[in-house]
Amino acid sequence: GEDVEQSLFLSVREGDSSVINCTYTDSSSTYLYWYKQEPGAGLQLLTYIFSNMDMKQDQRLTVLLNKKDKHLSLRIADTQTGDSAIYFCAESQEGYGGSQGNLIFGKGTKLSVKP
Amino acid sequence: KAGVTQTPRYLIKTRGQQVTLSCSPISGHRSVSWYQQTPGQGLQFLFEYFSETQRNKGNFPGRFSGRQFSNSRSEMNVSTLELGDSALYLCASSLGQGNEKLLFGSGTQLSVL
């Protein structure tokens, strides 16, 4: 069945780079997403990548996709204390009528940034 | 542009009651998806509505239902509440045309006592 795996915790020092990894199982996934959740808040879309891309960069964020190994990573450059949050990886499941509204989420990686 | 709006922000109910949650999508978005988030199970897909029709459904019992109105606003209803229904309920909206940038609201925190 579909499954998305992430490590649960990551701790880095302010100014370092953070790399959060994710593996997924459904090779037919069309989009892969990274969301950020701060305490008591909803999910903030950070970035997403179409499955025919290898890499996407957006300011401090770099997403790498290895479709052969079904591995997705999110690199945050120059990590700040404000980046402390839970990061969720998600894959889309194409449904009826081309719907992509059904996302399969990992359990989330809690990123702690130490000053 | 206003984001995805969910009301109410917090709800406290007792077992056996029913509850209705509301979600207003981003203007122009026609798809609304609902998710349940719990510490144990994480984020799980409930259902998706597009143009007032349920287009996808997750593995939840029939006590969980939803609908979408002609202005794309959506409601979800949970009947005969159980303690295990305590969760953060999130809705996400998107254009619904396969593009898909899913944007989430802040959620409704439901506590069942």
Side-chain angles (χ1 to χ4, degrees), chain A residues 10-57:
Chain A
L10 177 65
S11 181
V12 301
R13 292 218 167 270
E14 193 173 21
D16 288 350
S17 291
S18 307
V19 180
I20 302 171
N21 294 300
C22 168
T23 57
Y24 61 98
T25 55
D26 189 348
S27 57
S28 66
S29 291
T30 309
Y31 291 93
L32 295 135
Y33 299 81
W34 285 104
Y35 285 91
K36 176 184 179 182
Q37 187 175 38
E38 295 180 87
L43 298 176
Q44 176 193 350
L45 177 64
L46 290 176
T47 186
Y48 65 110
I49 188 168
F50 191 53
S51 58
N52 68 354
M53 296 170 65
D54 297 325
M55 186 183 96
K56 182 177 180 181
Q57 188 154 3

Side-chain angles (χ1 to χ4, degrees), chain B residues 2 17 29 37 45 47 52 61 63 103:
Chain B
Q17 287 187 309
H29 284 191
Q37 185 178 27
F45 172 73
F47 29 64
E52 302 178 65
R63 299 186 297 107
L103 300 173

Side-chain angles (χ1 to χ4, degrees), chain A residues 54-103:
Chain A
D54 297 325
M55 186 183 96
K56 182 177 180 181
Q57 188 154 3
D58 184 1
Q59 299 182 343
R60 291 191 298 125
L61 305 178
T62 303
V63 177
L64 294 177
L65 174 60
N66 181 329
K67 200 168 180 182
K68 175 176 165 288
D69 293 338
K70 299 193 186 91
H71 182 265
L72 182 74
S73 68
L74 173 70
R75 178 176 178 269
I76 306 172
D78 187 25
T79 313
Q80 303 298 306
T81 54
D83 294 325
S84 294
I86 299 177
Y87 290 79
F88 290 93
C89 165
E91 62 174 342
S92 65
Q93 295 282 298
E94 183 160 351
Y96 176 77
S99 160
Q100 303 287 346
N102 175 6
L103 300 187

Side-chain angles (χ1 to χ4, degrees), chain B residues 58-74:
Chain B
N59 297 322
F60 277 81
R63 299 186 297 107
F64 292 82
S65 63
R67 59 177 175 168
Q68 187 179 34
F69 302 95
S70 58
N71 62 357
S72 294
R73 189 177 72 84
S74 176

